[in-house]
Amino acid sequence: MSTTPEPMPLRHVLTAPTEPASVRLARQTAETTYAEWGVDAARPTMGPVLPILGEPVTDSVRHAAVASESLTVTYAAGEYALAFAVHDRHPHHPGGVPALTGGPATVAEVPAEHDGTCVPRRDADGGGKSVWITLPL
């Protein structure tokens, strides 16, 4: 993947409560949104999208609900890549990125295996954070 960020003109934002049902909603929204944009579900990078997306949403539900009554998922796509970000307003920012609950890989390792990226970002005011994941198409 190029180190130059690709413009991603296609955007969709989902705001949901920090409740367990939001994990499924975020995944369903990803499937629907990317399909509407013409991203073929059979592409190799689409396989890891839903499991990876579920991890930061689950982390927000488990850990941020006490300080953040909602979470936001931003979906984006361009000609050569797709991305999504999960944001909550809990001030704790882990030093790295969250581990996948089902195995030893981290959320960062899975995108890297597919030439993608995983970047955690603090909000400017320090009151929240986002995890941005980008995968090539």
Side-chain angles (χ1 to χ4, degrees), residues 57-108:
V57 175
T58 298
D59 285 345
S60 288
V61 168
R62 286 185 182 160
H63 306 294
V66 297
S68 181
E69 63 185 44
S70 65
L71 59 91
T72 303
V73 182
T74 302
Y75 307 89
E79 186 175 355
Y80 301 106
L82 63 81
F84 54 85
V86 178
H87 176 266
D88 64 57
R89 288 294 295 165
H90 192 285
H92 177 70
H93 182 272
V97 288
L100 285 169
T101 56
T106 67
V107 172

Side-chain angles (χ1 to χ4, degrees), residues 27 33 40 42 46 51-52 65 71-72 77 92 95-97 100-101 105 109 120 137:
R27 289 177 175 166
T33 300
D40 185 356
M46 288 303 291
I52 295 170
L71 59 91
T72 303
H92 177 70
V97 288
L100 285 169
T101 56
E109 290 171 343
L137 288 174

